[in-house]
Amino acid sequence: MAIHLSHRAKAINPSPTLTVSALAKQMQEKGINVINFGVGEPDFNTPQKIKDCAHQAIKDNFTRYTNTSGISSLREAISAKLKRDNDLDCSVKDILVSPGAKASIMFILMAICDPRDEVLIPTPYWVSYNSQVEMVDAHPIFIPTTVDSDFKISVEQLEESIETLSSPRALILNTPNNPTGSVYTQKELEEIAQICLKHNLIIIADEIYEKLVYEGEKHYSIANISKEVREHTVLINGVSKAYAMTGWRLGYAAGPVDIIKSAARIQSHTTSCVNSITQKAAICALDECEDDVQKMRFEFQKRRDILIDGFKEIPHIKYNVPKGAFYAMPDISYYLQNANFYTKSSYFKKTKTKSVRLCEYLIKEHKVAVVPGSAFGVDNYVRFSYANSIDNIKEGLKNFKRGLAESLKR
Ligand SMILES: Cc1ncc(COP(=O)(O)O)c(C=O)c1O
């Protein structure tokens, strides 16, 4: 009997970043030393203070369901953080705590989108945005950017895209950005916000990498521009990236109370609340761990500099210097056009874009895993995550450089 699967299930592909990591892991398990630049999470341990708080919560038997939106003491800590870091006044009722920022975005999209609504997404995009938009039966509308525009959309592009749409609902804007490392300036955000207000768009501002900005760069929250913009913005953040807590699963959304309440109702029928122990641990992260964040940020900056120095030695690639997050995205189109990187067997069976083939060749023949640009909606690039040791970054760069050079001779 043929099993019926929904149109949603059929439309959604597995996360390509996880696919690359899985192949790298498979090879590592066979004893092959693959340098993995595919990982989207900090390689540091969760700070000890946070783990101690979690132990204490277990000892105190804080192990039952909590209220859906998150315990008040955590939402108060988030509210204090938003005031301290972003100068935003957000009361606890404007905040929904969810099992990861990924879930926060999903519940917000479910709360604001109707079928066939349109959601604008700059490319390259974080891998889950387009799938999540499709899962709520809305349409992702892509706004292309390139390394030459520092991977940022212009107001003209935004305006032009909106004008072609019949039911524009939201813009998802991610700064600091995964996969490019770009950081929008205050002025750029002000201009974008004006267009969103003009067209009554909700801005889903994904600020999960806010704490990871380098060298005097400043993260600026679009919600901070004016009261009006604030009323059109749902800010997304969480503890995964700043506090090395990816496995704990806690993100949050802060925005207009009607949207937050609706998303909370949806969450109440899906995941209920976030793990009670994680909620206690997150209070400690937000209140007490700024020093740990700064140490990790300092390390990431060192690694970024080493990676970018390595890029300088590689012919024919184009790149920007990432200002935040822990990713870099060189343009490798020269190689896609001029090199031969076909491998005999194919691991990535579903998608066969050029960047996928290049990545498959690099993993298998040069033991270096980078993520194909097509995973992020742009085929001319690959993404490096520099959440990796300095030794690995140096060795991986050598492998990458050799792999590209040899692809031209095959
Ligand atoms: C841009 C962006 N937003 C959201 C998330 C999701 O984070 P979380 O672990 O909180 O679900 C990620 C994780 O990779 C990300 O890169």
Side-chain angles (χ1 to χ4, degrees):
M1 188 183 69
I3 303 284
H4 172 82
L5 291 174
S6 71
H7 69 277
R8 278 187 204 93
K10 285 186 216 150
I12 304 302
N13 286 320
S15 160
T17 40
L18 298 182
T19 318
V20 170
S21 288
L23 177 56
K25 230 181 228 160
Q26 234 179 57
M27 290 172 67
Q28 281 162 344
E29 275 162 17
K30 287 185 192 152
I32 304 167
N33 181 23
V34 177
I35 307 292
N36 191 356
F37 287 112
V39 188
E41 61 182 340
D43 54 328
F44 302 108
N45 291 327
T46 303
Q48 190 57 44
K49 274 180 279 190
I50 299 175
K51 293 192 277 198
D52 291 344
C53 276
H55 283 143
Q56 194 57 49
I58 294 172
K59 280 190 202 144
D60 294 344
N61 288 312
F62 193 73
T63 53
R64 303 190 196 285
Y65 292 131
T66 71
N67 61 332
T68 298
S69 301
I71 53 177
S72 330
S73 48
L74 171 58
R75 283 185 293 149
E76 275 156 19
I78 293 169
S79 166
K81 178 258 170 253
L82 292 172
K83 186 67 192 163
R84 191 170 61 236
D85 294 344
N86 312 102
D87 196 22
L88 288 171
D89 291 307
C90 251
S91 76
V92 292
K93 66 180 185 347
D94 305 327
I95 295 168
L96 170 64
V97 179
S98 299
K102 192 180 271 190
S104 305
I105 300 166
M106 188 70 210
F107 296 143
I108 294 300
L109 287 169
M110 289 171 90
I112 63 172
C113 289
D114 280 322
R116 290 179 293 285
D117 278 352
E118 291 134 335
V119 177
L120 293 133
I121 304 175
T123 63
Y125 49 72
W126 176 51
V127 291
S128 292
Y129 294 148
N130 63 326
S131 298
Q132 292 193 329
V133 168
E134 282 170 2
M135 282 193 275
V136 297
D137 288 335
H139 297 307
I141 304 295
F142 300 116
I143 310 177
T145 73
T146 66
V147 67
D148 298 319
S149 62
D150 199 19
F151 297 111
K152 292 176 187 173
I153 55 167
S154 67
V155 281
E156 291 77 21
Q157 273 182 303
L158 180 58
E159 186 85 90
E160 273 168 28
S161 301
I162 295 170
E163 269 160 17
T164 62
L165 304 179
S166 49
S167 183
R169 180 68 55 217
L171 165 71
I172 306 184
L173 198 66
N174 171 219
T175 180
N177 187 270
N178 175 10
T180 66
S182 285
V183 175
Y184 280 85
T185 63
Q186 178 174 351
K187 183 165 177 295
E188 289 161 345
L189 292 173
E190 281 169 0
E191 289 171 355
I192 289 171
Q194 286 322 310
I195 309 288
C196 292
L197 287 186
K198 182 172 149 196
H199 295 277
N200 198 22
L201 289 189
I202 298 294
I203 304 164
I204 300 178
D206 183 347
E207 304 189 348
I208 189 106
Y209 294 97
E210 128 180 81
K211 296 274 179 188
L212 300 175
V213 285
Y214 308 117
E215 251 178 3
E217 282 295 326
K218 201 173 159 342
H219 164 76
Y220 189 79
S221 181
I222 198 165
N224 200 17
I225 287 170
S226 66
K227 188 167 171 287
E228 230 188 331
V229 176
R230 165 84 179 76
E231 283 163 4
H232 281 76
T233 302
V234 180
L235 193 151
I236 304 289
N237 210 325
V239 296
S240 285
K241 313 289 175 169
Y243 306 97
M245 291 178 72
T246 47
W248 296 69
R249 311 309 302 133
L250 189 142
Y252 57 88
V257 70
D258 289 344
I259 298 179
I260 293 296
K261 266 196 201 158
S262 307
R265 278 199 300 276
I266 293 164
Q267 175 164 306
S268 75
H269 292 295
T270 46
T271 57
S272 302
C273 58
V274 170
N275 170 332
S276 55
I277 299 149
T278 294
Q279 292 193 53
K280 285 283 188 184
I283 298 175
C284 169
L286 294 167
D287 285 352
E288 297 176 37
C289 293
E290 200 54 32
D291 287 356
D292 301 273
V293 174
Q294 291 314 322
K295 278 185 211 145
M296 292 189 261
R297 193 182 65 85
F298 183 71
E299 274 306 308
F300 278 132
Q301 181 164 329
K302 273 204 306 208
R303 297 160 177 201
R304 177 203 64 169
D305 293 345
I306 288 166
L307 186 72
I308 297 302
D309 277 349
F311 283 173
K312 288 181 193 151
E313 308 296 318
I314 302 175
H316 310 305
I317 63 169
K318 276 208 289 186
Y319 55 90
N320 65 347
V321 177
K323 300 189 174 71
F326 39 74
Y327 308 102
M329 203 171 204
D331 175 329
I332 39 83
S333 49
Y334 178 88
Y335 293 93
L336 298 187
Q337 282 152 24
N338 295 295
N340 175 9
F341 36 79
Y342 282 71
T343 56
K344 275 187 216 110
S345 69
S346 187
Y347 182 81
F348 302 101
K349 293 195 184 63
K350 264 200 161 170
T351 40
K352 269 300 181 185
T353 63
K354 283 189 170 182
S355 61
V356 168
R357 287 181 190 274
L358 173 68
C359 290
E360 187 171 11
Y361 155 77
L362 288 171
I363 300 184
K364 286 184 174 166
E365 299 196 16
H366 294 279
K367 321 279 179 284
V368 59
V370 290
V371 185
S374 56
F376 312 98
V378 286
D379 202 34
N380 285 341
Y381 299 84
V382 290
R383 189 195 75 175
F384 281 71
S385 156
Y386 47 90
N388 214 323
S389 71
I390 287 178
D391 285 347
N392 275 348
I393 292 173
K394 287 183 177 165
E395 193 180 338
L397 274 165
K398 278 191 214 151
N399 296 0
F400 182 68
K401 183 178 176 188
R402 188 183 59 246
L404 290 184
E406 287 187 10
S407 70
L408 293 172
K409 297 182 203 148
R410 294 164 100 225

